[in-house]
Amino acid sequence: MPKYLVTSALPYANGPLHFGHIAGAYLPADVYVRLLRMQGEEVRYICGADEYGAAITINAEKEGVDYATYVARWRAEFQRTFKRFGIEFDIWSGTSACPQHTEMAQNMFRQLHENGYLCKQTSAQLYCEKDAMFLPDRYVLGTCPKCEHTGARGDECPSCGAWLDATKLKNPACKQCGSQPKLRDTTHWYLDLPKLRDDHIGAWFEKGDWKANVQAFISRMLDDLQMRPITRDMSWGVPVPADLAEGEEGKVLYVWFDAPIGYISMTAELAAREGDPDGWKTWWCFEDTRLVHFVGKDNIPFHALVFPAMLAGADQDFILPWAVPANEFYNLQGAKFSTSSHWTVPMEAFFETYDAEAARFHLIASMPENADSEFRWEDFQVTVNASLADTVGNLATRVLRFIDKHFEGQVPAIDADTARELDRVLLEECGAIVDPGASIREFRFRRASEEFIANAAVANVFVDKLAPWALRKSDPERAAAVLNTCCEWLSLVARWMVPFMPEKAQTLWAMVGQESAVAQEQWPSLPQAGAWRQLTTGQPLGHVEGLFDKLDDATIAAEIAALQARASAQA
């Protein structure tokens, strides 16, 4: 039986998360993991903060705090945001906090070196005399030599997507002070990606079944791979192993090299916590493990090419990715999220006002799976009012409150013949019923959310068709049977709801009189006539409450106006 090892891109500990990050890499993974668990799969979900790199040192120094304190603050802030969204990991750690990380990153370096995939070169790098430092690639701005885009970074052009050498940028400037950097010689280690492509990764990638965006991105890169530097001149990071440094001082592993190794080291940290320090190998060196990386499109090359190349080149029986369901970018009201420009949704204020699980569902329903998408306040209103309040919430309250009032708050009775008849009406005449779990398995989260709402709508059609409020006077036994069937359907809806809105699912599960944890229930198969009912007649219902509050037009208009005002004030 396969096991599933799920990761989300390690968020960089240098600024707050926004809805774009959540929709891109973390929420889809959480939905996927919750489904797998209900389906009885063995799964681990690994994540933590990416805590090294020059950006962190610069901003920590600006604030006058030490680097460890700075990243610990962001690590805790990220965790609070994830908790607000109901995103749960088997382990949440950080590359500077994980006890196993330095040793494992250095071991990866050694193994690649021993196998001939690293080389040491002296080259000219850009040095800022004003800041007295060699500039990391992302701290060099200039004009792309390939497409002439004027906002290119030293490692990549955001316009054409090309990987760049910072020294080849036209009109380079230091991002920090704006001065023109000078070239100085320095020695670094490089990862021989062309050799890794030819020895391992090229053939492996060609055999894979990838999302279209991953296939296109990596196929294009494989044709023009260059050796890539994996060390930097700084103090904050994983040091180059002393036995291989050859007298070089002040060299650390480049953050893009050490960060994905965090998936392995954090798995080892989890295993150690569970009392089995070598237990991580049963995941990372077990050929039937399915490694799934959830990332945004800017992380495609690292997770579908570079990290797999490192794993293969280390020759330690590491598994390679089984799937990289990368998402595109998620924007806000027609523009990119930007915390510096205040074009964002302030998290604290949002969660003080709005339902976190409604927001969670809307991000799933608008996820950028195959193309860029966006959060629009007007669309959020439609999701909450039409999909959630009118379709799901209204079904629950009108059925259960009616039972509370007229059937003593208990699951009403039904006889076998009527059950067969109502099964036919519900399952054949009230709309298509689809298993949203199948779409989640295929990483089609938007479609899964639509299928969940459509399944809930089936019961609304059923209720409208049979009108139990009218039957109560003319045929109370049939009214009871109709309401019994509705309770059964609500118990299905609660289980289907778990990956999308786990807390609401538990609330609904309790409302139909269940005392167990719904997330620990088995994922339901599609209902078949005569073989899907499970409630006990006469079972007391739980406390019935509204699941979703509607959003009015004035509230939404005020949010849009406030967003525009914040951005204008910043500009």
Side-chain angles (χ1 to χ4, degrees), residues 211-218 297 300 324 326-328 369-370:
K211 276 187 74 171
N213 58 348
V214 174
Q215 181 74 49
F217 205 132
I218 301 303
K297 69 178 176 183
I300 289 174
V324 183
N327 279 333
E328 299 294 294
E369 292 173 3
N370 300 307

Side-chain angles (χ1 to χ4, degrees), residues 33 138 153 157 205 222 300 342 368 389 408 420 459 490 498:
V33 167
R138 291 211 169 193
R153 300 189 302 262
C157 175
F205 186 80
L222 284 170
I300 289 174
H342 293 279
E408 299 180 343
R420 282 192 291 271
L490 285 169
V498 170

Side-chain angles (χ1 to χ4, degrees), residues 104-119 189-193 195-196 199-201 228 230 241 244 253 256-258 261 306-316 318:
M104 286 192 152
Q106 290 179 332
N107 282 343
M108 179 73 77
F109 185 96
R110 282 193 189 91
Q111 290 151 3
L112 289 166
H113 181 269
E114 290 170 3
N115 294 332
Y117 294 114
L118 299 186
C119 61
W189 282 262
Y190 287 70
L191 182 64
D192 194 341
L193 286 173
K195 189 174 190 305
L196 285 162
D199 289 355
H200 300 288
I201 295 304
R228 191 167 173 85
I230 63 170
L244 298 178
L253 302 185
W256 66 260
F257 179 87
D258 95 90
I261 300 169
V306 178
F307 186 46
M310 293 160 56
L311 294 170
D315 194 22
Q316 297 294 307
F318 287 126

Side-chain angles (χ1 to χ4, degrees), residues 7-18:
T7 76
S8 289
L10 307 186
Y12 194 52
N14 194 44
L17 295 171
H18 55 63

Side-chain angles (χ1 to χ4, degrees), residues 43 221 396:
V43 58
M221 292 184 68

